[in-house]
Amino acid sequence: MIDKISFLLIEGFRNLWRHKLTASTSIFSVFLTLFLIGILIIVGQNSHYPIEYFRSKYKIEVFFKKDTSDAQEKIIIEKIREFPEVRSVTPITKKDAVRIFKDQFGEDVVKMLGYNPLPGSAVVNINKDGFEQVNLEPLIEEIQSLNGVDIVRYQGRLISRLERFYQMMINLLKISTGVILLVSIVVISNTIKLTIYTCRELIKTLQLLGATKMFIKVPFILEGIFQSIIGASLAFFTIFGLMKAGNHYLPQLVTLRIQLDLYFGIGLLIISVVIGFIGSYRAVSKFL
Amino acid sequence: MIDKISFLLIEGFRNLWRHKLTASTSIFSVFLTLFLIGILIIVGQNSHYPIEYFRSKYKIEVFFKKDTSDAQEKIIIEKIREFPEVRSVTPITKKDAVRIFKDQFGEDVVKMLGYNPLPGSAVVNINKDGFEQVNLEPLIEEIQSLNGVDIVRYQGRLISRLERFYQMMINLLKISTGVILLVSIVVISNTIKLTIYTCRELIKTLQLLGATKMFIKVPFILEGIFQSIIGASLAFFTIFGLMKAGNHYLPQLVTLRIQLDLYFGIGLLIISVVIGFIGSYRAVSKFL
Amino acid sequence: MLFFYSISIGNLEKSQVGFFTVIAFNGVSYFFSKEIGVKDVNFEISQDEFAFLIGPTGSGKTTIMRLIYMDLMPDEGFVTVGGISSNKIKKRKIPMVRRKIGMVFQDYHLLSDRNIFENVALPLHMVGIRRDEVRERVMNMLNELNIEEKEKKKPFELSGGEQQRVCIARALVKEPEVILADEPTGNLDPVAAHDLIKLLENVNNEGTAVFMVSHNYNLIKNRGHRILEIQMGEIQNQ
Amino acid sequence: MLFFYSISIGNLEKSQVGFFTVIAFNGVSYFFSKEIGVKDVNFEISQDEFAFLIGPTGSGKTTIMRLIYMDLMPDEGFVTVGGISSNKIKKRKIPMVRRKIGMVFQDYHLLSDRNIFENVALPLHMVGIRRDEVRERVMNMLNELNIEEKEKKKPFELSGGEQQRVCIARALVKEPEVILADEPTGNLDPVAAHDLIKLLENVNNEGTAVFMVSHNYNLIKNRGHRILEIQMGEIQNQ
Ligand SMILES: Nc1ncnc2c1ncn2[C@@H]1O[C@H](COP(=O)(O)OP(=O)(O)OP(=O)(O)O)[C@@H](O)[C@H]1O
Ligand SMILES: Nc1ncnc2c1ncn2[C@@H]1O[C@H](COP(=O)(O)OP(=O)(O)OP(=O)(O)O)[C@@H](O)[C@H]1O
Ligand SMILES: [Mg+2]
Ligand SMILES: [Mg+2]
């Protein structure tokens, strides 16, 4: 039994060499498709950077009622700070408002009128991450309902557009990865099928000599898995190299950082083994 | 000669049937890759919709000097209208400004002060399309330099971010299409290579019987081209069907419309013929 | 037809089927298409017999062989090999039947991606024999057939006769219960052909049944072995 | 070795090379590896000759054939076929040489993805013959060899002897200048083998040279044809 298992294992390895040409074709296909998948995964992992940037620009302006005192305003601001979506709140007191009015229109409104007509307000900044999609409507409503709050203004439609657009991109990316993964499995399994098709005489001969199905299948399946693993390793190291290079040369303004970890490598490995197994199993079963 | 050509043509067709299994594998690979490319092209064709939407939100506020009269403002506005990047200009006269101030702060500034301290202004809307990348800096400067213009305000950094982000997406898409096209050619040519590899005995025999290189090559190359054309047609009709379905069900809010024309089909066809030719030529040359 | 006549030396009784009989055809017919194939074949080969099958080209000799190693299944009747009957066997048990048989195929069926040693060793690996024992048995067999120096060559590097001998070595090396040889001398010169028959006779003397197809009547006559003749798919006066 | 002796009936002079001689070997050697191959081969076959090549298995007969159809190129000396010399020919002109030769390969080399008719028709399509003429010539040839009813079958549906005859038909159909046949009777029964020799003799009488490898000395003796003997890669007393 041990002799048989070791024979089959060695056969699997040797087949790689025996079928150099076809094997290298499969390996190349695996490499290309896994490389593509790897790139997509990395893009996916990094797709939060742009949206986080935009989120850091989201601003909600809260205007307090005219008769709220600065102290009352402070309490309301504390309440706003407690919402999970809120990153920070910048208070603009009634005095600050007068200064800003003067900066903008060149007139000192208090001097002219003898009193300050401008209300206090606050700028609410939104948390950039931790949310798949930030939906500000409920937050706005809650702030609106706080005692002492007059009006809440925000770039409503623009933000919800951006969020929706971002969501679409993410979905597109997910679908693409799925499609490419499927395409990969099919293309690779077809390539392995062709590899095995070139061996149909051999399979027939083995059958005539009294080989069991297992005895014929196992070396081919092992060969398929080995091919996939080699292809996946090549893809992994290429991506790794590109990532290193990319981190050097990527324009800093895009703040794109690439996360690549052990899990990514292990993931590729598992995908490749699964692809190799399914591909070669399907293929060899066709001729048995 | 005519007999030979017609023989070779018919051989090319017949090979498709003779090599059913391997041919269908190639056809499937062509279909999948061209399908992918087709989808990418369509996405590319439609990628301008989101950016156009955002561009329609770009606003430049131009404040006139306090001493410019309404008539002078009108002349300046005409000048602004003439810039190619400008879609429309909404004038806000001094009177309009008073009304807006009253809406916002509840005070009639003219009544209080006895005169109107607010300057006239104008909101400039930007053209949504026709520009790969809208760079507003020069426009801003030109408007700024006009006689009678006080300050120009716009969402500067946000806009340039959006434009840069959009540009990045477009580039990514172009690169992806290029990479996938390359991958396709390689994968398909490898598949065809394997198809022909299964015929290496046949090629050897033809050589021994005194066939010239041309006589051996032509049917294989024709076979490869036929395979590609079949694969491309399948891809075309699938995309066409999906597009029809998509136009029905796509959420109207995304305003995504799919442009598909004759050129697209012809393009796919040409790509497929080129891929088929290169793939099978490369492949058959390996064994001759 | 002058060249073909048959000598019957087997005096077996039906009752011996299953014990002394290693191959038995019972009213077997197989048709590739109407008129083409073999019809109502009945014969038996006993455990220690050496029998020839002779007949013109296209008469059905290879078809008989394929029926024995169950590459074809009879349309009528049944074939029994080593006690296992074609009408009862499960498909996945067929390899077990084939392992009892040493086959020399008319078209060799050598694996082109392996060298001669590996080709001959294959049937031994299939049944899980130890590496060193495999080496010993294969090399002995290659020696016996004078192709030991081709050990490392690929099949396409061998002459027709050498390939044929590799195929014979592969059939003999597993020490089967019965040897089927389809035209094993077609590419051998008279000396090599004569040596092969001698070799098969030795193997037969050690208790292995041999059933061999041949056109070369001169080679097989006057050896005292049973000769079956087939014509147009029918076994003649047995 | 008792079976091999040679009868020399050719009385050709060297000067006849290129006009009366269709195949000429001039000091040709070819080595697959040291010691293995053919050595210093010299012989000629004239336009209307029928010659046999005989020798034990592995002696180099197929190698000689392959040198003639320029599948192998001599390491030393040169081979001349139909006036074209192996040391002068350009690689892309080799198909032209092969078209002059009708070859029967020892391992048939039939195209497994085409039926018998298409296989035999192939050499005619190669030279651009009209479809109806192709049909007529192929069917005549298949008739001549008694395999006309296999016209639509694929090679694997044929018996060994039938495949061999298809290969012969393919060699003859293009009416070549010379016919090379490598062991064309290995899978034929004595009757069919005898018929084949007769057929080749007829073709020879119509002016085509025939050069045939055979092990079957009984078949070729007493026919008045020249017999070349090869041993260990060297042509014996010519
Ligand atoms: N797979 C097949 N499909 C259809 N017909 C077949 C097939 N195999 C064999 N035949 C036909 O069956 C008949 C018997 O074939 P078989 O191979 O048994 O002959 P044979 O006696 O071995 O001949 P040979 O001595 O030439 O090898 C022949 O007419 C052949 O054409
Ligand atoms: N491609 C090759 N590579 C290495 N050695 C080869 C090759 N082809 C043939 N040989 C060796 O050359 C010698 C002559 O081979 P060849 O095929 O010419 O023999 P042959 O006379 O045709 O024998 P047979 O009657 O068995 O067909 C043999 O020993 C063979 O093993
Ligand atoms: Mg047969
Ligand atoms: Mg030979």
Side-chain angles (χ1 to χ4, degrees):
Chain A
M1 202 57 203
I2 292 285
D3 286 286
K4 216 156 162 182
I5 291 171
S6 85
F7 175 77
L8 291 175
L9 243 163
I10 294 170
E11 280 292 285
F13 259 118
R14 282 207 189 152
N15 275 353
L16 274 186
W17 178 248
R18 285 190 190 124
H19 315 142
K20 293 183 271 305
L21 178 88
T22 49
S24 59
T25 309
S26 306
I27 289 174
F28 192 66
S29 299
V30 173
F31 164 70
L32 281 180
T33 43
L34 286 190
F35 178 69
L36 225 63
I37 290 174
I39 294 288
L40 277 183
I41 288 175
I42 286 177
V43 169
Q45 279 187 353
N46 285 279
S47 63
H48 56 295
Y49 287 118
I51 192 68
E52 279 175 14
Y53 171 77
F54 286 116
R55 280 181 187 164
S56 74
K57 299 287 172 217
Y58 292 175
K59 274 190 188 59
I60 302 178
E61 281 180 285
V62 180
F63 292 91
F64 300 112
K65 294 214 172 93
K66 270 189 202 140
D67 46 11
T68 35
S69 68
D70 282 10
Q72 280 174 316
E73 282 173 14
K74 254 193 192 147
I75 293 166
I76 299 173
I77 285 170
E78 278 315 308
K79 276 190 190 149
I80 294 176
R81 266 198 239 277
E82 273 160 24
F83 290 110
E85 292 96 337
V86 172
R87 180 161 53 101
S88 66
V89 185
T90 314
I92 297 169
T93 59
K94 295 193 175 77
K95 259 189 203 155
D96 295 334
V98 172
R99 211 187 50 245
I100 292 167
F101 188 91
K102 197 177 172 187
D103 284 353
Q104 274 191 14
F105 301 107
E107 310 277 346
D108 190 330
V109 78
V110 181
K111 255 190 197 148
M112 288 192 298
L113 299 180
Y115 73 98
N116 183 358
L118 303 174
S121 67
V123 176
V124 179
N125 295 303
I126 299 302
N127 248 337
K128 341 190 241 187
D129 46 1
F131 299 96
E132 263 271 288
Q133 177 163 22
V134 173
N135 191 350
L136 295 177
E137 310 287 341
L139 178 68
I140 300 300
E141 271 171 35
E142 289 203 67
I143 294 176
Q144 184 80 69
S145 68
L146 289 175
N147 223 346
V149 170
D150 187 9
I151 37 172
V152 181
R153 280 204 296 181
Y154 77 113
Q155 311 124 294
R157 283 177 49 86
L158 188 67
I159 287 178
S160 65
R161 277 288 170 152
L162 259 174
E163 292 283 338
R164 218 179 268 134
F165 180 63
Y166 170 68
Q167 207 53 41
M168 235 178 69
M169 296 303 300
I170 292 288
N171 287 341
L172 209 78
L173 209 72
K174 279 182 188 161
I175 293 171
S176 309
T177 312
V179 169
I180 292 184
L181 196 70
L182 254 172
V183 170
S184 307
I185 291 183
V186 173
V187 166
I188 290 169
S189 120
N190 275 345
T191 312
I192 296 179
K193 191 152 74 195
L194 283 186
T195 311
I196 291 173
Y197 182 72
T198 63
C199 299
R200 62 203 182 287
E201 292 277 329
L202 190 150
I203 289 175
K204 180 72 187 159
T205 299
L206 284 173
Q207 283 179 317
L208 290 184
L209 291 178
T212 53
K213 280 194 181 185
M214 264 306 123
F215 190 87
I216 301 173
K217 274 184 181 176
V218 170
F220 280 110
I221 292 174
L222 286 177
E223 185 189 354
I225 293 177
F226 292 152
Q227 285 172 5
S228 282
I229 290 179
I230 294 175
S233 311
L234 289 178
F236 179 78
F237 289 115
T238 311
I239 292 172
F240 200 79
L242 278 183
M243 187 205 66
K244 287 272 169 209
N247 266 347
H248 245 274
Y249 298 111
L250 263 187
Q252 290 306 309
L253 55 128
V254 210
T255 347
L256 200 71
R257 277 286 162 280
I258 289 158
Q259 295 174 332
L260 188 84
D261 42 32
L262 203 63
Y263 293 116
F264 177 70
I266 292 174
L268 272 190
L269 198 75
I270 291 174
I271 292 179
S272 71
V273 170
V274 170
I275 289 178
F277 179 79
I278 295 178
S280 48
Y281 190 88
R282 254 187 44 159
V284 77
S285 297
K286 247 203 105 117
F287 298 102
L288 276 177
Chain B
M1 203 56 204
I2 291 285
D3 286 284
K4 216 156 159 180
I5 290 170
S6 84
F7 176 77
L8 290 177
L9 244 164
I10 294 170
E11 280 291 284
F13 259 119
R14 281 206 188 154
N15 275 353
L16 273 186
W17 178 247
R18 284 188 191 126
H19 315 142
K20 293 182 271 307
L21 178 89
T22 48
S24 58
T25 308
S26 305
I27 289 173
F28 192 66
S29 297
V30 173
F31 163 70
L32 281 181
T33 42
L34 286 189
F35 178 69
L36 223 62
I37 291 173
I39 294 288
L40 276 183
I41 289 174
I42 286 177
V43 169
Q45 279 188 354
N46 285 281
S47 63
H48 56 294
Y49 287 118
I51 193 68
E52 279 175 12
Y53 170 77
F54 287 115
R55 279 181 187 162
S56 76
K57 299 290 170 215
Y58 293 175
K59 272 187 188 62
I60 301 177
E61 281 180 284
V62 180
F63 291 92
F64 301 112
K65 292 214 174 92
K66 271 190 200 143
D67 46 9
T68 36
S69 67
D70 283 9
Q72 279 172 315
E73 283 174 14
K74 257 193 190 147
I75 293 167
I76 299 171
I77 285 170
E78 280 315 309
K79 276 189 191 151
I80 293 176
R81 268 198 235 277
E82 272 159 25
F83 290 110
E85 293 95 337
V86 171
R87 179 161 54 100
S88 67
V89 185
T90 315
I92 297 169
T93 59
K94 293 193 177 77
K95 260 189 204 155
D96 296 332
V98 172
R99 210 187 52 245
I100 291 167
F101 187 90
K102 196 176 174 187
D103 285 351
Q104 273 192 16
F105 301 106
E107 310 277 344
D108 189 332
V109 79
V110 180
K111 256 190 199 152
M112 288 192 297
L113 299 179
Y115 73 99
N116 183 358
L118 303 174
S121 66
V123 175
V124 179
N125 295 303
I126 300 302
N127 249 338
K128 344 190 238 187
D129 46 0
F131 299 95
E132 264 270 288
Q133 177 163 22
V134 173
N135 189 351
L136 295 177
E137 309 287 342
L139 177 67
I140 301 300
E141 270 170 36
E142 289 203 70
I143 295 175
Q144 184 78 71
S145 67
L146 288 175
N147 224 344
V149 170
D150 187 9
I151 37 172
V152 181
R153 279 203 297 179
Y154 77 112
Q155 311 124 292
R157 283 175 50 85
L158 188 67
I159 287 179
S160 66
R161 278 290 170 149
L162 259 176
E163 291 283 338
R164 218 180 268 135
F165 179 64
Y166 170 69
Q167 207 53 41
M168 237 179 66
M169 295 303 301
I170 293 288
N171 286 341
L172 209 77
L173 208 72
K174 277 183 189 159
I175 293 171
S176 309
T177 313
V179 168
I180 292 184
L181 196 69
L182 255 173
V183 171
S184 309
I185 291 183
V186 174
V187 166
I188 290 168
S189 121
N190 275 344
T191 311
I192 295 179
K193 193 152 74 194
L194 283 187
T195 312
I196 291 173
Y197 182 72
T198 63
C199 300
R200 63 203 182 287
E201 291 278 328
L202 190 150
I203 290 176
K204 179 71 189 164
T205 299
L206 285 172
Q207 283 180 317
L208 290 184
L209 291 179
T212 53
K213 280 195 183 187
M214 264 306 123
F215 190 86
I216 300 174
K217 273 183 182 176
V218 170
F220 279 109
I221 292 173
L222 287 177
E223 184 189 354
I225 293 176
F226 292 151
Q227 284 173 5
S228 282
I229 290 178
I230 294 176
S233 312
L234 288 179
F236 179 79
F237 289 114
T238 310
I239 291 172
F240 200 80
L242 278 183
M243 187 205 67
K244 287 272 170 214
N247 266 347
H248 245 274
Y249 298 111
L250 261 188
Q252 290 306 309
L253 55 129
V254 211
T255 346
L256 199 70
R257 276 285 163 280
I258 289 159
Q259 296 175 332
L260 187 86
D261 44 31
L262 202 63
Y263 292 116
F264 176 71
I266 293 174
L268 272 191
L269 198 75
I270 290 174
I271 291 179
S272 72
V273 170
V274 169
I275 288 179
F277 180 79
I278 295 179
S280 49
Y281 191 88
R282 256 187 41 158
V284 78
S285 297
K286 248 204 104 121
F287 298 102
L288 277 175
Chain C
M1 210 172 275
L2 197 93
F3 291 96
F4 304 124
Y5 59 92
S6 60
I7 312 160
S8 184
I9 53 161
N11 290 313
L12 301 166
E13 293 168 34
K14 279 270 178 220
S15 66
Q16 289 169 316
V17 171
F19 188 64
F20 288 107
T21 305
V22 65
I23 298 172
F25 274 60
N26 276 286
V28 172
S29 296
Y30 181 86
F31 302 103
F32 291 108
S33 56
K34 66 168 162 19
E35 302 284 295
I36 294 175
V38 294
K39 215 168 77 190
D40 192 26
V41 175
N42 287 287
F43 70 89
E44 282 157 23
I45 306 241
S46 64
Q47 249 175 358
D48 55 0
E49 204 172 350
F50 193 132
F52 288 110
L53 179 61
I54 189 168
T57 155
S59 56
K61 302 181 296 296
T62 301
T63 308
I64 297 271
M65 291 292 177
R66 290 176 72 189
L67 284 163
I68 298 173
Y69 58 79
M70 301 196 181
D71 190 26
L72 302 175
M73 285 299 186
D75 291 330
E76 288 163 24
F78 59 93
V79 180
T80 310
V81 180
I84 305 174
S85 230
S86 65
N87 55 353
K88 289 188 196 124
I89 194 169
K90 287 196 197 91
K91 218 174 156 225
R92 60 183 181 78
K93 285 286 174 205
I94 290 178
M96 303 309 137
V97 174
R98 292 183 181 162
R99 287 182 189 180
K100 297 181 182 198
I101 305 173
M103 286 173 284
V104 182
F105 303 99
Q106 193 171 11
D107 44 1
Y108 313 159
H109 276 305
L110 296 176
L111 302 184
S112 55
D113 60 351
R114 272 150 238 239
N115 67 30
I116 299 315
F117 180 89
E118 290 168 325
N119 263 286
V120 177
L122 206 58
L124 299 181
H125 284 303
M126 260 175 220
V127 290
I129 286 172
R130 276 205 338 278
R131 231 152 236 289
D132 44 354
E133 196 190 327
V134 167
R135 167 124 226 117
E136 198 189 306
R137 279 169 70 173
V138 171
M139 287 317 291
N140 279 346
M141 208 63 243
L142 293 181
N143 264 315
E144 192 107 54
L145 286 154
N146 279 317
I147 39 172
E148 69 280 5
E149 79 276 21
K150 301 292 180 189
E151 184 201 349
K152 293 260 173 353
K153 301 264 186 217
K154 291 281 175 68
F156 71 89
E157 294 177 313
L158 264 53
S159 81
E162 288 160 352
Q163 287 182 38
Q164 199 156 39
R165 280 179 287 164
V166 173
C167 191
I168 294 161
R170 186 179 59 185
L172 296 180
V173 76
K174 61 180 171 182
E175 296 171 358
E177 284 180 31
V178 54
I179 290 170
L180 302 180
D182 197 351
E183 197 68 58
T185 60
N187 276 306
L188 296 183
D189 59 85
V191 178
H194 188 264
D195 289 350
L196 172 65
I197 302 280
K198 277 272 174 222
L199 176 62
L200 290 178
E201 279 173 346
N202 285 343
V203 172
N204 177 239
N205 283 338
E206 286 161 21
T208 305
V210 176
F211 189 36
M212 171 176 155
V213 168
S214 182
H215 289 123
N216 196 338
Y217 184 66
N218 287 321
L219 190 70
I220 66 179
K221 71 181 175 190
N222 301 331
R223 289 189 165 271
H225 300 308
R226 181 171 163 211
I227 300 181
L228 291 168
E229 190 184 339
I230 187 169
Q231 296 253 12
M232 311 271 286
E234 290 181 78
I235 299 280
Q236 308 295 300
N237 50 322
Q238 215 187 122
Chain D
M1 212 171 275
L2 199 94
F3 291 97
F4 303 123
Y5 60 93
S6 60
I7 313 160
S8 184
I9 53 162
N11 291 313
L12 301 164
E13 292 168 36
K14 278 275 176 219
S15 66
Q16 289 169 315
V17 172
F19 187 64
F20 288 107
T21 303
V22 65
I23 297 172
F25 273 60
N26 277 285
V28 172
S29 297
Y30 181 85
F31 302 102
F32 291 107
S33 56
K34 66 168 164 18
E35 302 285 293
I36 294 174
V38 296
K39 216 166 78 191
D40 192 28
V41 175
N42 288 286
F43 70 89
E44 282 157 23
I45 304 229
S46 64
Q47 247 174 0
D48 54 0
E49 203 172 349
F50 195 132
F52 288 111
L53 180 61
I54 188 168
T57 154
S59 56
K61 303 181 296 297
T62 300
T63 308
I64 297 270
M65 292 292 177
R66 291 176 71 189
L67 284 162
I68 297 173
Y69 58 79
M70 300 193 182
D71 189 28
L72 302 175
M73 286 299 186
D75 292 329
E76 288 163 25
F78 59 93
V79 179
T80 311
V81 179
I84 305 174
S85 230
S86 65
N87 55 352
K88 290 190 196 119
I89 193 169
K90 284 195 201 96
K91 216 174 158 228
R92 60 184 181 76
K93 284 286 174 207
I94 289 178
M96 303 309 137
V97 173
R98 293 186 180 160
R99 286 180 191 181
K100 297 181 182 200
I101 306 173
M103 285 172 286
V104 182
F105 303 100
Q106 193 172 11
D107 44 0
Y108 313 160
H109 277 306
L110 296 175
L111 302 184
S112 55
D113 60 351
R114 272 150 238 240
N115 67 29
I116 299 315
F117 180 89
E118 290 168 325
N119 262 286
V120 176
L122 206 57
L124 299 181
H125 284 302
M126 260 175 219
V127 293
I129 286 172
R130 274 205 339 277
R131 232 153 234 289
D132 45 353
E133 196 189 327
V134 167
R135 167 126 226 116
E136 197 188 310
R137 278 170 68 174
V138 170
M139 287 318 290
N140 279 346
M141 209 61 242
L142 292 180
N143 265 316
E144 192 106 54
L145 285 154
N146 278 318
I147 39 174
E148 69 281 4
E149 79 276 21
K150 301 292 180 189
E151 183 201 350
K152 292 259 177 344
K153 300 265 187 216
K154 293 281 175 65
F156 71 88
E157 294 176 311
L158 264 54
S159 82
E162 287 160 352
Q163 287 183 39
Q164 198 156 40
R165 280 178 287 165
V166 173
C167 190
I168 294 161
R170 186 179 60 184
L172 296 180
V173 77
K174 61 180 170 183
E175 294 169 4
E177 284 179 32
V178 54
I179 288 168
L180 301 181
D182 196 350
E183 196 69 57
T185 60
N187 276 306
L188 297 184
D189 59 85
V191 179
H194 188 263
D195 289 350
L196 172 66
I197 303 278
K198 278 271 175 224
L199 176 63
L200 289 178
E201 278 173 347
N202 285 343
V203 173
N204 177 241
N205 284 338
E206 285 159 24
T208 304
V210 177
F211 189 35
M212 171 174 155
V213 168
S214 182
H215 289 123
N216 196 338
Y217 183 67
N218 288 321
L219 189 70
I220 66 180
K221 71 182 175 190
N222 303 331
R223 288 188 166 274
H225 300 310
R226 181 171 163 212
I227 299 181
L228 290 168
E229 189 185 339
I230 186 169
Q231 296 255 11
M232 308 272 284
E234 290 181 81
I235 298 281
Q236 306 296 299
N237 49 321
Q238 216 185 121

